[in-house]
């Protein structure tokens, strides 16, 4: 059972538990996908792949300051959860010590929808046709519109030229899983 001392509970987790981070980014033709609601309708109708003009999916790195922030939220020392996503044009390799994107596009965009599914949490962000236009090569998830803490970063496997003719989504997924 749980050991209780001085009103503190110790939760024993298997030693092989890890947080796996993944991100999926999609670009759309702005004539067909104008809003986040349009994305949800396309998903629900099984049409999301048909309306996607660019897709990048893969693992991301939860950086050291991001891991520290996760623990700070868990222990209640602050409540700075992931709230903003940002893309950039930089191609510098991702490292554990990263704290910002290499070459960010601005402004950061507020996460539209955050939710839990089983042992995973997801953070969806929609970029309208006028937001963060440029050549997307990297992405990050942050605690604030400016400054704040970067939780994680990913270099896209292929770049995406975001323009006023495109909209896009970036969905971050974190999963607790055995190694």
């Amino acid at each position: 059972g749980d050991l209780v001392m001085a009103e503190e509970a110790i939760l024993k987790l298997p030693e092989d538990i890890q947080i796996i981070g993944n991100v999926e980014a999609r670009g759309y033709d702005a004539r067909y996908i104008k809003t986040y609601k349009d994305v949800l309708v396309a998903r629900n109708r099984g049409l999301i792949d048909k309306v996607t003009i660019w897709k990048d999916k893969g693992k991301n790195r939860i950086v050291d300051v991001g891991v520290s922030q996760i623990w700070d939220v868990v222990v209640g020392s602050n409540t700075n959860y992931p709230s903003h996503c940002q893309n950039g044009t930089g191609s510098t390799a991702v490292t554990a010590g990263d704290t910002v994107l290499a070459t960010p596009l601005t402004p950061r965009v507020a996460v539209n929808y955050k939710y839990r599914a089983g042992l995973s949490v997801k953070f969806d962000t929609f970029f309208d046709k006028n937001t963060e236009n440029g050549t997307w090569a990297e992405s990050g998830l942050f605690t604030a519109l400016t400054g704040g803490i970067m939780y994680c970063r990913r270099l896209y496997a292929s770049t995406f030229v975001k323009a006023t003719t495109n909209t896009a989504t970036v969905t971050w997924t974190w999963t607790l899983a055995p190694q």
Side-chain angles (χ1 to χ4, degrees):
D2 288 342
L3 176 63
V4 178
M5 296 175 51
E7 297 184 30
E8 292 183 29
I10 299 172
L11 174 63
K12 291 189 111 186
L13 293 175
E15 291 179 16
D16 60 353
I17 290 291
Q18 62 182 345
I19 299 174
I20 299 170
N22 286 288
V23 64
E24 179 178 286
R26 290 177 180 257
Y28 314 101
D29 185 319
R31 293 176 298 175
Y32 308 113
I33 302 293
K34 296 176 183 170
T35 66
Y36 182 63
K37 183 178 179 183
D38 294 337
V39 172
L40 296 177
V41 168
R43 280 183 191 164
N44 288 340
R45 293 184 178 166
L47 301 172
I48 198 71
D49 287 331
K50 290 185 187 290
V51 298
T52 297
I53 60 172
W54 169 78
K55 180 179 174 183
D56 185 281
K57 185 175 182 178
K59 290 184 178 181
N60 72 81
R61 175 85 184 238
I62 300 176
V63 295
D64 290 349
V65 293
V67 172
S68 293
Q69 181 59 32
I70 290 169
W71 291 129
D72 286 347
V73 170
V74 168
V75 300
S77 63
N78 71 51
T79 58
N80 298 323
Y81 56 86
S83 62
H84 288 79
C85 184
Q86 185 174 39
N87 293 283
T89 62
S91 58
T92 305
V94 177
T95 69
D98 288 348
T99 58
V100 294
L101 295 179
T103 312
L105 293 164
T106 57
R108 288 181 190 159
V109 174
V111 170
N112 293 82
Y113 189 49
K114 47 190 169 294
Y115 52 100
R116 182 177 156 218
L119 295 178
S120 295
V121 292
K122 293 185 179 257
F123 307 92
D124 287 353
T125 307
F126 180 78
F127 297 82
D128 68 30
K129 68 179 186 170
N130 297 313
T131 308
E132 288 194 5
N133 291 331
T135 302
W136 289 14
E138 62 179 333
S139 191
L141 188 62
F142 296 85
T143 62
L145 175 62
T146 60
I149 295 165
M150 182 170 71
Y151 273 97
C152 43
R153 180 171 173 242
R154 172 170 167 75
L155 287 184
Y156 292 126
S158 65
T159 58
F160 173 58
V161 179
K162 170 81 172 55
T164 57
T165 55
N166 307 118
T167 57
T169 52
V170 178
T171 300
W172 299 86
T173 304
W174 296 347
T175 303
L176 278 177
Q179 291 184 12

